[in-house]
Every structure is written in C-alpha cells, then in structure tokens.
mmCIF file of all heavy atoms in Angstrom:
data_model
loop_
_atom_site.group_PDB
_atom_site.id
_atom_site.type_symbol
_atom_site.label_atom_id
_atom_site.label_comp_id
_atom_site.label_asym_id
_atom_site.label_seq_id
_atom_site.Cartn_x
_atom_site.Cartn_y
_atom_site.Cartn_z
ATOM 1 N N THR A 437 -19.616 -13.134 -3.803
ATOM 2 C CA THR A 437 -19.819 -12.007 -2.995
ATOM 3 C C THR A 437 -20.592 -10.946 -3.589
ATOM 4 O O THR A 437 -20.600 -10.774 -4.726
ATOM 5 C CB THR A 437 -18.565 -11.366 -2.589
ATOM 6 O OG1 THR A 437 -18.682 -10.194 -2.824
ATOM 7 C CG2 THR A 437 -17.469 -11.874 -3.118
ATOM 8 N N GLN A 438 -21.289 -10.248 -2.760
ATOM 9 C CA GLN A 438 -22.101 -9.180 -3.205
ATOM 10 C C GLN A 438 -21.471 -7.878 -3.075
ATOM 11 O O GLN A 438 -21.394 -7.142 -3.964
ATOM 12 C CB GLN A 438 -23.357 -9.153 -2.431
ATOM 13 C CG GLN A 438 -24.266 -9.697 -3.181
ATOM 14 C CD GLN A 438 -25.459 -9.318 -3.602
ATOM 15 O OE1 GLN A 438 -26.228 -9.905 -3.262
ATOM 16 N NE2 GLN A 438 -25.702 -8.455 -4.392
ATOM 17 N N PRO A 439 -21.172 -7.488 -1.976
ATOM 18 C CA PRO A 439 -20.509 -6.229 -1.899
ATOM 19 C C PRO A 439 -19.249 -6.415 -2.558
ATOM 20 O O PRO A 439 -18.366 -6.924 -2.004
ATOM 21 C CB PRO A 439 -20.352 -5.971 -0.465
ATOM 22 C CG PRO A 439 -21.265 -6.879 0.144
ATOM 23 C CD PRO A 439 -21.568 -7.956 -0.803
ATOM 24 N N ASN A 440 -19.179 -6.050 -3.702
ATOM 25 C CA ASN A 440 -18.011 -6.303 -4.406
ATOM 26 C C ASN A 440 -16.972 -5.309 -4.141
ATOM 27 O O ASN A 440 -16.474 -4.708 -4.969
ATOM 28 C CB ASN A 440 -18.279 -6.258 -5.860
ATOM 29 C CG ASN A 440 -18.698 -4.935 -6.235
ATOM 30 O OD1 ASN A 440 -18.776 -4.079 -5.504
ATOM 31 N ND2 ASN A 440 -18.934 -4.702 -7.372
ATOM 32 N N GLU A 441 -16.614 -5.048 -3.077
ATOM 33 C CA GLU A 441 -15.632 -4.024 -2.993
ATOM 34 C C GLU A 441 -14.697 -4.276 -1.900
ATOM 35 O O GLU A 441 -14.779 -3.734 -0.893
ATOM 36 C CB GLU A 441 -16.257 -2.740 -2.772
ATOM 37 C CG GLU A 441 -16.967 -2.275 -3.700
ATOM 38 C CD GLU A 441 -17.818 -2.384 -4.663
ATOM 39 O OE1 GLU A 441 -18.820 -2.713 -4.568
ATOM 40 O OE2 GLU A 441 -17.509 -2.118 -5.583
ATOM 41 N N LYS A 442 -13.830 -5.141 -2.028
ATOM 42 C CA LYS A 442 -12.954 -5.368 -0.946
ATOM 43 C C LYS A 442 -11.585 -5.698 -1.337
ATOM 44 O O LYS A 442 -11.357 -6.231 -2.327
ATOM 45 C CB LYS A 442 -13.453 -6.494 -0.179
ATOM 46 C CG LYS A 442 -12.572 -6.621 0.985
ATOM 47 C CD LYS A 442 -12.841 -7.675 1.766
ATOM 48 C CE LYS A 442 -12.029 -7.657 2.952
ATOM 49 N NZ LYS A 442 -12.149 -8.548 3.818
ATOM 50 N N GLY A 443 -10.721 -5.525 -0.536
ATOM 51 C CA GLY A 443 -9.422 -5.909 -0.568
ATOM 52 C C GLY A 443 -8.485 -5.557 -1.574
ATOM 53 O O GLY A 443 -8.052 -6.354 -2.323
ATOM 54 N N ARG A 444 -8.048 -4.386 -1.691
ATOM 55 C CA ARG A 444 -6.919 -4.208 -2.540
ATOM 56 C C ARG A 444 -6.045 -3.145 -2.070
ATOM 57 O O ARG A 444 -6.479 -2.063 -1.916
ATOM 58 C CB ARG A 444 -7.287 -3.848 -3.918
ATOM 59 C CG ARG A 444 -8.026 -2.718 -4.179
ATOM 60 C CD ARG A 444 -9.099 -2.450 -4.213
ATOM 61 N NE ARG A 444 -9.888 -1.803 -5.055
ATOM 62 C CZ ARG A 444 -11.111 -1.892 -4.920
ATOM 63 N NH1 ARG A 444 -11.519 -2.612 -4.118
ATOM 64 N NH2 ARG A 444 -11.900 -1.284 -5.648
ATOM 65 N N LYS A 445 -4.889 -3.408 -1.866
ATOM 66 C CA LYS A 445 -3.911 -2.381 -1.618
ATOM 67 C C LYS A 445 -2.873 -2.540 -2.664
ATOM 68 O O LYS A 445 -2.040 -3.403 -2.581
ATOM 69 C CB LYS A 445 -3.334 -2.521 -0.248
ATOM 70 C CG LYS A 445 -4.331 -2.137 0.808
ATOM 71 C CD LYS A 445 -3.720 -1.942 2.107
ATOM 72 C CE LYS A 445 -4.718 -1.456 3.110
ATOM 73 N NZ LYS A 445 -4.227 -1.248 4.390
ATOM 74 N N ASP A 446 -2.976 -1.721 -3.653
ATOM 75 C CA ASP A 446 -2.078 -1.874 -4.779
ATOM 76 C C ASP A 446 -0.728 -1.256 -4.556
ATOM 77 O O ASP A 446 0.266 -1.707 -5.053
ATOM 78 C CB ASP A 446 -2.645 -1.239 -6.028
ATOM 79 C CG ASP A 446 -3.948 -1.841 -6.383
ATOM 80 O OD1 ASP A 446 -4.324 -2.809 -5.798
ATOM 81 O OD2 ASP A 446 -4.569 -1.352 -7.217
ATOM 82 N N GLY A 447 -0.692 -0.116 -3.869
ATOM 83 C CA GLY A 447 0.575 0.579 -3.720
ATOM 84 C C GLY A 447 1.528 -0.202 -2.851
ATOM 85 O O GLY A 447 1.142 -0.859 -1.902
ATOM 86 N N GLU A 448 2.794 -0.167 -3.159
ATOM 87 C CA GLU A 448 3.799 -0.837 -2.354
ATOM 88 C C GLU A 448 4.692 0.202 -1.703
ATOM 89 O O GLU A 448 4.888 1.295 -2.234
ATOM 90 C CB GLU A 448 4.631 -1.765 -3.225
ATOM 91 C CG GLU A 448 3.840 -2.932 -3.743
ATOM 92 C CD GLU A 448 4.713 -4.049 -4.201
ATOM 93 O OE1 GLU A 448 5.926 -3.907 -4.152
ATOM 94 O OE2 GLU A 448 4.174 -5.050 -4.604
ATOM 95 N N PRO A 449 5.234 -0.119 -0.523
ATOM 96 C CA PRO A 449 6.069 0.872 0.159
ATOM 97 C C PRO A 449 7.344 1.120 -0.601
ATOM 98 O O PRO A 449 7.833 0.271 -1.340
ATOM 99 C CB PRO A 449 6.365 0.191 1.501
ATOM 100 C CG PRO A 449 6.195 -1.268 1.232
ATOM 101 C CD PRO A 449 5.113 -1.359 0.191
ATOM 102 N N GLU A 450 7.872 2.307 -0.439
ATOM 103 C CA GLU A 450 9.141 2.640 -1.071
ATOM 104 C C GLU A 450 10.233 1.724 -0.551
ATOM 105 O O GLU A 450 10.247 1.331 0.613
ATOM 106 C CB GLU A 450 9.511 4.096 -0.759
ATOM 107 C CG GLU A 450 8.532 5.124 -1.315
ATOM 108 C CD GLU A 450 8.664 5.272 -2.800
ATOM 109 O OE1 GLU A 450 9.715 4.852 -3.314
ATOM 110 O OE2 GLU A 450 7.746 5.778 -3.434
ATOM 111 N N GLN A 451 11.144 1.332 -1.420
ATOM 112 C CA GLN A 451 12.256 0.519 -1.001
ATOM 113 C C GLN A 451 13.187 1.327 -0.108
ATOM 114 O O GLN A 451 13.503 2.481 -0.398
ATOM 115 C CB GLN A 451 13.037 0.008 -2.222
ATOM 116 C CG GLN A 451 12.213 -0.892 -3.138
ATOM 117 C CD GLN A 451 11.826 -2.164 -2.434
ATOM 118 O OE1 GLN A 451 12.605 -2.704 -1.659
ATOM 119 N NE2 GLN A 451 10.629 -2.644 -2.689
ATOM 120 N N PRO A 452 13.615 0.741 1.033
ATOM 121 C CA PRO A 452 14.498 1.506 1.916
ATOM 122 C C PRO A 452 15.823 1.782 1.228
ATOM 123 O O PRO A 452 16.309 1.007 0.419
ATOM 124 C CB PRO A 452 14.675 0.562 3.110
ATOM 125 C CG PRO A 452 14.391 -0.800 2.564
ATOM 126 C CD PRO A 452 13.342 -0.599 1.521
ATOM 127 N N GLU A 453 16.388 2.930 1.570
ATOM 128 C CA GLU A 453 17.671 3.311 0.983
ATOM 129 C C GLU A 453 18.767 2.352 1.448
ATOM 130 O O GLU A 453 18.859 1.985 2.613
ATOM 131 C CB GLU A 453 18.010 4.733 1.421
ATOM 132 C CG GLU A 453 19.293 5.243 0.809
ATOM 133 C CD GLU A 453 19.591 6.636 1.291
ATOM 134 O OE1 GLU A 453 18.706 7.258 1.859
ATOM 135 O OE2 GLU A 453 20.707 7.092 1.098
ATOM 136 N N GLN A 454 19.594 1.885 0.517
ATOM 137 C CA GLN A 454 20.683 0.978 0.842
ATOM 138 C C GLN A 454 21.774 1.698 1.633
ATOM 139 O O GLN A 454 22.247 2.748 1.242
ATOM 140 C CB GLN A 454 21.295 0.408 -0.450
ATOM 141 C CG GLN A 454 20.315 -0.323 -1.335
ATOM 142 C CD GLN A 454 20.076 -1.726 -0.887
ATOM 143 O OE1 GLN A 454 20.731 -2.185 0.045
ATOM 144 N NE2 GLN A 454 19.162 -2.419 -1.516
ATOM 145 N N LYS A 455 22.159 1.110 2.777
ATOM 146 C CA LYS A 455 23.241 1.684 3.561
ATOM 147 C C LYS A 455 24.489 0.841 3.389
ATOM 148 O O LYS A 455 24.442 -0.385 3.475
ATOM 149 C CB LYS A 455 22.861 1.741 5.031
ATOM 150 C CG LYS A 455 21.754 2.748 5.312
ATOM 151 C CD LYS A 455 21.527 2.878 6.786
ATOM 152 C CE LYS A 455 20.434 3.909 7.046
ATOM 153 N NZ LYS A 455 20.182 4.082 8.483
ATOM 154 N N VAL A 456 25.615 1.471 3.140
ATOM 155 C CA VAL A 456 26.850 0.760 2.849
ATOM 156 C C VAL A 456 27.947 1.159 3.838
ATOM 157 O O VAL A 456 28.112 2.341 4.149
ATOM 158 C CB VAL A 456 27.316 1.063 1.411
ATOM 159 C CG1 VAL A 456 28.580 0.315 1.109
ATOM 160 C CG2 VAL A 456 26.226 0.694 0.412
ATOM 161 N N ASP A 457 28.666 0.180 4.321
ATOM 162 C CA ASP A 457 29.797 0.448 5.216
ATOM 163 C C ASP A 457 30.980 0.933 4.383
ATOM 164 O O ASP A 457 31.609 0.170 3.656
ATOM 165 C CB ASP A 457 30.171 -0.845 5.953
ATOM 166 C CG ASP A 457 31.281 -0.613 6.969
ATOM 167 O OD1 ASP A 457 31.836 0.496 7.004
ATOM 168 O OD2 ASP A 457 31.588 -1.545 7.718
ATOM 169 N N THR A 458 31.254 2.198 4.476
ATOM 170 C CA THR A 458 32.303 2.793 3.645
ATOM 171 C C THR A 458 33.689 2.303 3.999
ATOM 172 O O THR A 458 34.638 2.533 3.243
ATOM 173 C CB THR A 458 32.273 4.322 3.764
ATOM 174 O OG1 THR A 458 32.379 4.674 5.138
ATOM 175 C CG2 THR A 458 30.950 4.863 3.217
ATOM 176 N N THR A 459 33.842 1.608 5.089
ATOM 177 C CA THR A 459 35.165 1.090 5.466
ATOM 178 C C THR A 459 35.471 -0.223 4.791
ATOM 179 O O THR A 459 36.597 -0.705 4.832
ATOM 180 C CB THR A 459 35.247 0.893 6.987
ATOM 181 O OG1 THR A 459 34.302 -0.099 7.398
ATOM 182 C CG2 THR A 459 34.937 2.196 7.720
ATOM 183 N N ASP A 460 34.520 -0.829 4.168
ATOM 184 C CA ASP A 460 34.696 -2.120 3.510
ATOM 185 C C ASP A 460 34.396 -1.972 2.041
ATOM 186 O O ASP A 460 33.248 -1.955 1.632
ATOM 187 C CB ASP A 460 33.782 -3.164 4.158
ATOM 188 C CG ASP A 460 34.075 -4.557 3.651
ATOM 189 O OD1 ASP A 460 34.533 -4.725 2.581
ATOM 190 O OD2 ASP A 460 33.846 -5.486 4.273
ATOM 191 N N LYS A 461 35.417 -1.857 1.221
ATOM 192 C CA LYS A 461 35.219 -1.603 -0.202
ATOM 193 C C LYS A 461 34.539 -2.766 -0.888
ATOM 194 O O LYS A 461 33.751 -2.585 -1.807
ATOM 195 C CB LYS A 461 36.561 -1.312 -0.878
ATOM 196 C CG LYS A 461 37.063 0.068 -0.572
ATOM 197 C CD LYS A 461 38.224 0.405 -1.461
ATOM 198 C CE LYS A 461 38.688 1.830 -1.233
ATOM 199 N NZ LYS A 461 39.800 2.189 -2.107
ATOM 200 N N SER A 462 34.876 -3.982 -0.467
ATOM 201 C CA SER A 462 34.263 -5.136 -1.120
ATOM 202 C C SER A 462 32.766 -5.160 -0.877
ATOM 203 O O SER A 462 31.976 -5.449 -1.770
ATOM 204 C CB SER A 462 34.910 -6.431 -0.612
ATOM 205 O OG SER A 462 34.665 -6.597 0.780
ATOM 206 N N ALA A 463 32.382 -4.854 0.373
ATOM 207 C CA ALA A 463 30.946 -4.806 0.676
ATOM 208 C C ALA A 463 30.282 -3.704 -0.107
ATOM 209 O O ALA A 463 29.173 -3.851 -0.611
ATOM 210 C CB ALA A 463 30.743 -4.584 2.184
ATOM 211 N N LYS A 464 30.987 -2.564 -0.228
ATOM 212 C CA LYS A 464 30.437 -1.448 -0.970
ATOM 213 C C LYS A 464 30.213 -1.821 -2.407
ATOM 214 O O LYS A 464 29.178 -1.535 -3.000
ATOM 215 C CB LYS A 464 31.372 -0.251 -0.860
ATOM 216 C CG LYS A 464 30.835 0.988 -1.561
ATOM 217 C CD LYS A 464 31.753 2.159 -1.303
ATOM 218 C CE LYS A 464 31.196 3.408 -1.975
ATOM 219 N NZ LYS A 464 32.032 4.577 -1.720
ATOM 220 N N THR A 465 31.181 -2.513 -2.979
ATOM 221 C CA THR A 465 31.057 -2.906 -4.373
ATOM 222 C C THR A 465 29.905 -3.873 -4.556
ATOM 223 O O THR A 465 29.115 -3.751 -5.493
ATOM 224 C CB THR A 465 32.359 -3.562 -4.854
ATOM 225 O OG1 THR A 465 33.423 -2.638 -4.675
ATOM 226 C CG2 THR A 465 32.242 -3.966 -6.305
ATOM 227 N N ALA A 466 29.825 -4.833 -3.620
ATOM 228 C CA ALA A 466 28.773 -5.834 -3.738
ATOM 229 C C ALA A 466 27.394 -5.199 -3.668
ATOM 230 O O ALA A 466 26.511 -5.525 -4.451
ATOM 231 C CB ALA A 466 28.917 -6.875 -2.627
ATOM 232 N N LYS A 467 27.226 -4.265 -2.738
ATOM 233 C CA LYS A 467 25.925 -3.648 -2.595
ATOM 234 C C LYS A 467 25.627 -2.683 -3.721
ATOM 235 O O LYS A 467 24.496 -2.520 -4.132
ATOM 236 C CB LYS A 467 25.831 -2.944 -1.240
ATOM 237 C CG LYS A 467 25.798 -3.928 -0.093
ATOM 238 C CD LYS A 467 25.457 -3.246 1.221
ATOM 239 C CE LYS A 467 25.385 -4.246 2.350
ATOM 240 N NZ LYS A 467 24.990 -3.646 3.623
ATOM 241 N N THR A 468 26.662 -2.046 -4.229
ATOM 242 C CA THR A 468 26.459 -1.112 -5.322
ATOM 243 C C THR A 468 26.068 -1.839 -6.593
ATOM 244 O O THR A 468 25.219 -1.379 -7.361
ATOM 245 C CB THR A 468 27.727 -0.297 -5.572
ATOM 246 O OG1 THR A 468 28.074 0.393 -4.379
ATOM 247 C CG2 THR A 468 27.497 0.691 -6.695
ATOM 248 N N ASP A 469 26.638 -3.015 -6.803
ATOM 249 C CA ASP A 469 26.355 -3.760 -8.018
ATOM 250 C C ASP A 469 25.017 -4.475 -7.976
ATOM 251 O O ASP A 469 24.491 -4.885 -9.001
ATOM 252 C CB ASP A 469 27.470 -4.796 -8.267
ATOM 253 C CG ASP A 469 28.798 -4.119 -8.597
ATOM 254 O OD1 ASP A 469 28.789 -2.959 -8.954
ATOM 255 O OD2 ASP A 469 29.821 -4.735 -8.481
#
C-alpha cells in the first residue's frame, strides 16, 4: 500500500463498572474476587 495511513484504533473503551446484587453475598464475593 501506498497511502500508508490506515487503520488503527488503539484506545480501548473503559471497562463497565461491575454491578453486584447486594442481596446475594455469594454472588457479591464471587464478583468482588
């Protein structure tokens, strides 16, 4: 290729914040760990 200037998107999106069901301690522990 000649126009050497294509294709890069280096940045990645921020990871979504983890949501935890506070009524289920086991699930909370699993997700926290």
